[in-house]
Amino acid sequence: MHIELNKISKRYGYQWILRDLDLVISSGSVLGVNGLNGSGKSTLIKILSGFLSPSDGKIIHALDDKIIKIADVYKSVSWVAPYLSLTENYNIEEMYNLQGKFKRMKTESFQEFIEVIDLVQHQDKYIKDFSSGMQQRLQLGLAILSDTPLLLLDEPTSYLDSNAISWYHKLLQKHLDGRTVVIASNDAGDLAECNSSVDVLEFK
C-alpha cells in the first residue's frame, strides 16, 4: 500500500499533537516512527489506520494505483497496539475465527496458527486468563499472519520477554512479503526491520 500525508495536523482541544506533517510511505517500505512518550506516535498510527481523522491536511491510501476510500481502509489494515484489546471471554480459536471473518489469514488452519504463535498449551484458556505477554503474542500473531497490505505496529514488544521478542522479529521478517509496515516505538530494537524513519517531534 502507498500512503501520502499532505500537511497533516491533529489537535485535541487547544493542544496540537502534530503540525504540518508531509510524508510519503512507499509501497513495500518499512517505516519507523520514533519520539518520546506522548509525542504523537500513536496519533499518527491511528491516522494511518483510518481510525482517526486529522484536524487539517489530507491523507491518501492507494493500492495497485487505485485510491482507497478512507472508510474502506480498515479492510486492508492489521494493527497491534497496547490500547487495542482482545475479546477476553474468547479462547484463542474463537479469536482466530473472528479475525478470519474480516481478514484472510496466511495460516491454513487454526492448528498451524497456534503452533506458529507457540501457545498450544494455552488453547483452552480464556484470553482474560492470559498474561499480558501472552495477549501481546496473540495480538502480534493475528496481525502479522493476516494477509493485509498494511501492517501497523505500535510498541510491538511492550509486554514481551527476551525470548518472545526474538520470536516476534523472526515472525515479522518472515511475513514482510512486500507489504507496507509502520512501526512506532522509542525502543531502537523495535525498529530493527525499518529501512526509513521519521521523528514526530519534528512536527510540533
Side-chain angles (χ1 to χ4, degrees):
M1 181 180 287
H2 180 86
I3 307 173
E4 295 184 14
L5 295 89
N6 301 313
K7 300 296 181 184
I8 290 292
S9 299
K10 182 63 182 179
R11 70 177 180 182
Y12 297 102
Y14 294 105
Q15 182 181 8
W16 288 96
I17 306 301
L18 297 170
R19 295 291 296 268
D20 295 329
L21 192 157
D22 287 318
L23 183 64
V24 175
I25 307 174
S26 301
S27 180
S29 64
V30 185
L31 174 71
V33 178
N34 53 56
L36 300 175
N37 290 340
S39 60
K41 299 189 301 296
S42 294
T43 296
L44 178 55
I45 290 289
K46 291 175 183 177
I47 290 172
L48 292 172
S49 74
F51 176 80
L52 187 66
S53 298
S55 302
D56 292 304
K58 184 178 182 181
I59 182 169
I60 299 170
H61 297 77
L63 189 59
D64 298 327
D65 297 322
K66 181 179 180 180
I67 293 177
I68 303 173
K69 294 179 181 179
I70 195 67
D72 292 328
V73 169
Y74 76 94
K75 299 175 184 178
S76 301
V77 178
S78 50
W79 180 14
V80 173
Y83 44 83
L84 297 177
S85 59
L86 298 162
T87 306
E88 292 193 338
N89 61 339
Y90 277 17
N91 60 28
I92 301 175
E93 185 170 12
E94 290 169 327
M95 198 70 229
Y96 175 82
N97 290 336
L98 178 64
Q99 182 83 349
K101 291 181 179 180
F102 299 98
K103 316 286 183 186
R104 190 175 73 174
M105 301 301 293
K106 291 173 175 284
T107 46
E108 295 185 2
S109 66
F110 168 69
Q111 192 60 40
E112 180 186 354
F113 173 79
I114 199 169
E115 289 174 2
V116 170
I117 66 171
D118 195 22
L119 289 176
V120 173
Q121 66 272 35
H122 303 289
Q123 61 182 315
D124 295 325
K125 290 183 180 179
Y126 290 113
I127 292 169
K128 65 182 178 181
D129 297 322
F130 283 12
S131 68
S132 55
M134 290 163 57
Q135 290 196 25
Q136 184 81 345
R137 183 184 281 262
L138 176 55
Q139 273 202 15
L140 288 165
L142 289 169
I144 295 172
L145 294 169
S146 292
D147 191 6
T148 56
L150 179 60
L151 174 62
L152 303 175
L153 303 170
D154 193 351
E155 305 288 352
T157 65
S158 54
Y159 297 115
L160 301 183
D161 60 26
S162 59
N163 288 334
I165 289 172
S166 177
W167 164 84
Y168 153 74
H169 283 291
K170 290 176 182 177
L171 185 68
L172 178 61
Q173 290 163 9
K174 186 176 180 179
H175 293 281
L176 289 175
D177 296 336
R179 70 208 300 198
T180 302
V181 181
V182 181
I183 305 172
S185 180
N186 55 15
D187 184 335
D190 286 352
L191 308 178
E193 285 79 19
C194 299
N195 48 41
S196 61
S197 65
V198 60
D199 190 334
V200 292
L201 288 174
E202 297 177 9
F203 301 95
K204 291 293 185 181

